[in-house]
Amino acid sequence: MGTDHSFAAVMARKSDIMKTSVGIDYARYATGRIGFDYERMMAEVPYDLEAVRRIQAETCVGSTPLVECRNITRLIRKLAPAGKGARLFIKDEAANPSGSFKDRRAALSVYHAVRMGYPGIAAATSGNYGAGVACQAAKRGLRCIIVQEVFDSTGLQQPEITEKSRACEAAGAEVLRLSVGPELFYQFLRVLEETGFFNASLYTPYSIAGIETLGWEIGRHFLDTEGRAPDAVVVSHAGGGNITGTARGLQKAGCGTTQVIAASVDLRGLHMASDHDFNRKSFTTAHTGFGVPFSTFPDRSDVPRNAARPLRYMDRYVTVTQGEVFFATEMLAQLEGLERGPAGNTSLAAAFVLAQEMDRDQVIVVQETEYTGAGKHPWSQLGLAKCMGIEVRAGDPRDNEPGRRIVIPEHPAQMRVCDIALDDLRRSYLKNVRASSDPAELTSEDYRFLATDIRATEEFVRTELSRLARKEEAHESAAT
Amino acid sequence: MSAQTPLAAGDWVEIEAVVLRPEERSPAVPADTKATPLVMRVNGFLQADATVGSEAIVLTRAGRILRGTLRGPAPAYSHTFGEPVAELIRIGPLLRAILASPDESPDPVHHASGGRHGN
């Protein structure tokens, strides 16, 4: 009798498949009804920061240049009020072997998979991470499968993801290229079940521990060269691993006072699982389509307990428009000679604006770049946008409308950031909690967990959950 | 290559398979996506001569045997850097002109010490 491969049957086997493929029994960390001991889960990663640095150095990952962008800083000071305009630095993560900070996550996952005796490694990712895993797997002699979402129902490929398919194949990976849909995860589970490969999920404790070195390197650099922590670090935010790992690394370096700012491209209005919208996004990552839901419901990830917990670490969350990121990408190339991104330049677009609010003696760090290339390049993305009927023009970026109009700023003074209120995200998080569990059953440990997980007081959690309950009751009585 | 000419065993080819038919898809996907099948494409070494459009078996780079419909020789990667975008090309000269302009907002620290700020 064969195994049942229907969608429902495979999804029902999810937790067993995950337990086998990640090698972590997440149930061990449970506290209360819904809480879990996050810090214990992270502490049980069998590699401390020094060990991670050593493992990454073995495959030439990390220790990337931290570049002071002097021309961009001059431009910032031309636009800023008198006395304002922080020095802007960028961590050139494109210098990693496969061209992005994702090599840090991949390095530890691949090392661990080899050590645990897995016959291969697999990852579900349409981004730079696939190339990172393929690259590290090649270096350590492990078989590799990458599952990607590449083309819409007309067969039209998103060129940035096609570039990732190419990069993964170039490093020897089998690449499963799928049409649009979140059931990519179903296919991924089938791969894990059939192969017994390690799941190099972006959201395991190994993946996050791998990023801690990035924050640590930034922190150490400023402590060693300038005797102080950087004032702000801006992180391109999608699934939450980047901000979580970077913030934890900064703390481990002794830079707990550094403000950690998340930045995403505003893609509100576009549906992430829509076949129609797929090729109308012009960004495949660092956008609100991932950044917001992963902040308000981190455990929506492919592992039962996501080690990326963005609300624990973000001090501020800002959005920028598509056109502003393309502008920042051109600025970085033209003024600093660094042709990078564009998606990784989301944090640069934000930092360019935020630096103008800061004093001249302050420092702001853009914590990553990513390689550019055919498919990824702004010309390629804007070409696709035009082909999809999206208007591309110069103007005021406030007129930018995802899926309809990309407006490239006419002048750098038009660049701005939009704040997403963290309390709104906290409320959405609690709304998701309320939707999936009965608050009457929550224990004091659960309240403690929730407060820590959204960085609020227990009072805030209790008040908001009661408010939601009252709202629902009012809704129900109005309906009857 | 005509559809009738078989590709030879050992050729690097692309196959396609339907992973989920529309009616098998997740109830959670939006209607436009649910109206289409979830399709998978993968490249591999053809295991026996086969014609385009027929059932084929490949050996993938990870050493797996997969089945699907033969689409043809594995496609070239033809993604490009795209056509120049006028709205971007004007940015470099604009920014250099701003940097060259004299109306820099004063740096209180360096002006007080009589020096130009050294960026």
Side-chain angles (χ1 to χ4, degrees):
Chain A
M1 211 176 77
T3 314
D4 184 350
H5 293 311
S6 70
F7 179 76
V10 172
M11 296 306 281
R13 295 198 293 274
K14 173 183 156 180
S15 49
D16 283 342
I17 296 170
M18 282 302 154
K19 198 165 160 182
T20 309
S21 64
V22 178
I24 295 175
D25 180 4
Y26 286 91
R28 291 182 58 226
Y29 303 110
T31 60
R33 304 281 301 184
I34 59 166
F36 77 105
D37 191 341
Y38 174 63
E39 289 300 341
R40 192 177 129 225
M41 183 175 89
M42 291 306 295
E44 287 187 3
V45 172
Y47 316 102
D48 64 12
L49 193 127
E50 270 315 303
V52 176
R53 280 173 47 78
R54 208 166 44 243
I55 289 162
Q56 291 178 339
E58 281 175 11
T59 51
C60 302
V61 171
S63 300
T64 52
L66 188 57
V67 181
E68 180 164 10
C69 297
R70 292 189 169 85
N71 290 327
I72 292 179
T73 301
R74 279 182 59 212
L75 182 64
I76 287 166
R77 290 176 177 178
K78 289 271 189 186
L79 304 170
K84 297 287 181 186
R87 290 158 68 202
L88 188 143
F89 290 72
I90 196 162
K91 183 78 166 152
D92 198 15
E93 287 291 291
N96 281 305
S98 83
S100 83
F101 87 97
K102 293 287 170 60
D103 286 342
R104 295 179 187 264
R105 309 173 95 148
L108 201 57
S109 292
V110 171
Y111 179 89
H112 187 70
V114 171
R115 192 180 141 203
M116 301 304 286
Y118 282 89
I121 192 159
T125 164
S126 308
N128 291 326
Y129 186 53
V133 173
C135 170
Q136 292 297 308
K139 282 180 185 258
R140 294 203 186 267
L142 207 56
R143 291 190 291 155
C144 178
I145 300 172
I146 303 296
V147 188
Q148 299 180 324
E149 183 184 51
V150 181
F151 52 93
D152 66 16
S153 59
T154 71
L156 183 64
Q157 302 179 17
Q158 156 53 258
E160 175 162 26
I161 302 175
T162 301
E163 163 57 18
K164 313 289 172 58
S165 307
R166 186 204 62 76
C168 291
E169 282 206 320
E174 170 188 323
V175 184
L176 301 180
R177 289 164 287 134
L178 298 181
S179 58
V180 178
E183 305 101 320
L184 179 148
F185 183 53
Y186 155 84
Q187 179 59 29
F188 182 57
L189 288 174
R190 287 194 59 182
V191 166
L192 293 174
E193 196 169 42
E194 285 163 21
T195 61
F197 281 13
F198 182 74
N199 172 13
S201 161
L202 283 158
Y203 306 109
T204 63
Y206 312 111
S207 177
I208 303 308
I211 306 167
E212 288 179 1
T213 56
L214 173 49
W216 186 89
E217 286 171 24
I218 292 170
R220 284 313 316 172
H221 173 89
F222 285 99
L223 291 174
D224 292 345
T225 60
E226 310 205 1
R228 66 195 190 97
D231 298 282
V233 172
V234 191
V235 184
S236 294
H237 173 51
N242 202 10
I243 192 160
T244 301
T246 299
R248 291 177 62 87
L250 281 164
Q251 287 172 4
K252 287 186 178 181
C255 296
T257 57
T258 299
Q259 200 189 17
V260 178
I261 303 168
S264 296
V265 184
D266 193 345
L267 288 195
R268 280 173 284 188
L270 292 177
H271 197 301
M272 294 307 128
S274 161
D275 182 66
H276 174 270
D277 290 355
F278 178 70
N279 276 318
R280 289 178 168 81
K281 298 197 282 262
S282 307
F283 282 83
T284 62
T285 187
H287 57 65
T288 50
F290 294 135
V292 171
F294 272 96
S295 299
T296 60
F297 185 17
D299 294 323
R300 72 205 321 278
S301 68
D302 58 357
V303 287
R305 292 299 193 180
N306 192 342
R309 316 296 299 188
L311 283 180
R312 288 181 185 235
Y313 297 100
M314 62 171 74
D315 296 309
R316 188 174 171 183
Y317 185 16
V318 298
T319 65
V320 290
T321 63
Q322 297 158 301
E324 286 166 329
V325 179
F326 289 126
F327 188 101
T329 299
E330 188 70 11
M331 175 178 73
L332 183 64
Q334 291 285 322
L335 295 189
E336 303 293 343
L338 295 172
E339 195 185 16
R340 303 285 187 268
N345 293 333
T346 300
S347 49
L348 172 64
F352 179 75
V353 179
L354 296 166
Q356 296 172 44
E357 301 171 356
M358 297 167 64
D359 294 336
R360 284 193 182 218
D361 60 357
Q362 292 190 299
V363 160
I364 189 165
V365 183
V366 173
Q367 57 73 270
E368 64 153 318
T369 60
E370 60 169 330
Y371 85 104
T372 194
K376 288 168 74 95
H377 196 274
W379 290 3
S380 178
Q381 286 303 317
L382 289 169
L384 173 69
K386 288 175 186 170
C387 154
M388 297 305 292
I390 294 165
E391 182 191 1
V392 176
R393 65 169 168 83
D396 187 332
R398 272 180 287 201
D399 295 331
N400 197 91
E401 193 182 339
R404 291 185 186 279
R405 196 181 310 115
I406 294 177
V407 182
I408 315 283
E410 287 170 305
H411 193 279
Q414 292 171 311
M415 305 263 285
R416 58 181 57 78
V417 297
C418 247
D419 271 275
I420 294 184
L422 294 188
D423 273 351
D424 288 348
L425 293 179
R426 294 182 176 112
R427 288 189 188 97
S428 297
Y429 177 112
L430 293 172
K431 208 170 161 183
N432 288 328
V433 168
R434 169 107 189 122
S436 59
S437 54
D438 181 358
E441 293 183 348
L442 297 186
T443 67
S444 56
E445 279 177 325
D446 289 318
Y447 282 105
R448 209 161 31 246
F449 165 78
L450 290 172
T452 310
D453 213 36
I454 61 173
R455 232 198 319 172
T457 60
E458 283 185 44
E459 175 65 24
F460 179 91
V461 174
R462 286 177 194 277
T463 308
E464 285 304 319
L465 285 176
S466 313
R467 199 181 55 82
L468 284 167
R470 280 200 305 277
K471 214 166 142 186
E472 276 167 36
E473 275 167 27
H475 210 76
E476 276 164 26
S477 56
T480 49
Chain B
M1 185 171 296
S2 83
Q4 285 71 36
T5 313
L7 295 173
D11 281 359
W12 181 242
V13 302
E14 180 185 47
I15 59 166
E16 176 177 290
V18 171
V19 176
L20 293 170
R21 294 190 299 273
E23 64 274 18
E24 295 171 322
R25 299 200 67 158
S26 162
V29 299
D32 64 328
T33 308
K34 199 165 166 37
T36 65
L38 182 69
V39 173
M40 179 176 87
R41 295 176 183 167
V42 62
N43 297 340
F45 297 104
L46 194 59
Q47 293 303 284
D49 294 4
T51 52
V52 171
S54 69
E55 190 73 6
I57 299 171
V58 299
L59 176 69
T60 71
R61 284 185 187 266
R64 295 201 302 157
I65 294 289
L66 295 179
R67 285 164 197 280
T69 305
L70 184 60
R71 274 178 55 84
Y77 287 105
S78 53
H79 57 298
T80 71
F81 284 87
E83 301 288 320
V85 176
E87 292 82 358
L88 293 178
I89 292 185
R90 40 167 293 282
I91 291 171
L94 168 72
L95 298 183
R96 276 188 287 276
I98 297 172
L99 287 180
S101 68
D103 58 347
E104 193 155 349
S105 70
D107 177 340
V109 178
H110 289 88
H111 278 258
S113 61
R116 285 188 53 76
H117 78 72
N119 298 311

